[in-house]
Short mmCIF file of all heavy atoms in Angstrom, two decimals:
data_model
loop_
_atom_site.label_atom_id
_atom_site.label_comp_id
_atom_site.label_asym_id
_atom_site.label_seq_id
_atom_site.Cartn_x
_atom_site.Cartn_y
_atom_site.Cartn_z
N SER T 208 40.48 -25.98 71.55
CA SER T 208 39.36 -25.21 72.17
C SER T 208 39.35 -25.49 73.63
O SER T 208 40.14 -26.23 74.20
CB SER T 208 38.12 -25.51 71.51
OG SER T 208 37.68 -26.77 71.99
N GLY T 210 37.00 -27.30 74.71
CA GLY T 210 35.89 -28.39 74.75
C GLY T 210 36.45 -29.76 75.07
O GLY T 210 37.60 -29.93 75.48
N ASP T 366 33.29 -20.74 74.83
CA ASP T 366 34.31 -20.78 73.79
C ASP T 366 33.96 -19.78 72.73
O ASP T 366 32.78 -19.43 72.59
CB ASP T 366 34.37 -22.26 73.23
CG ASP T 366 35.36 -22.33 72.14
OD1 ASP T 366 36.62 -21.99 72.41
OD2 ASP T 366 35.09 -22.64 70.97
N CYS T 368 33.43 -20.13 69.76
CA CYS T 368 32.55 -20.64 68.72
C CYS T 368 31.09 -20.40 69.16
O CYS T 368 30.19 -20.40 68.30
CB CYS T 368 32.64 -22.24 68.67
SG CYS T 368 34.11 -22.66 67.75
MG1 LIG Z 511 34.00 -26.34 70.79
#
Side-chain angles (χ1 to χ4, degrees):
S208 71
D366 179 57
C368 287

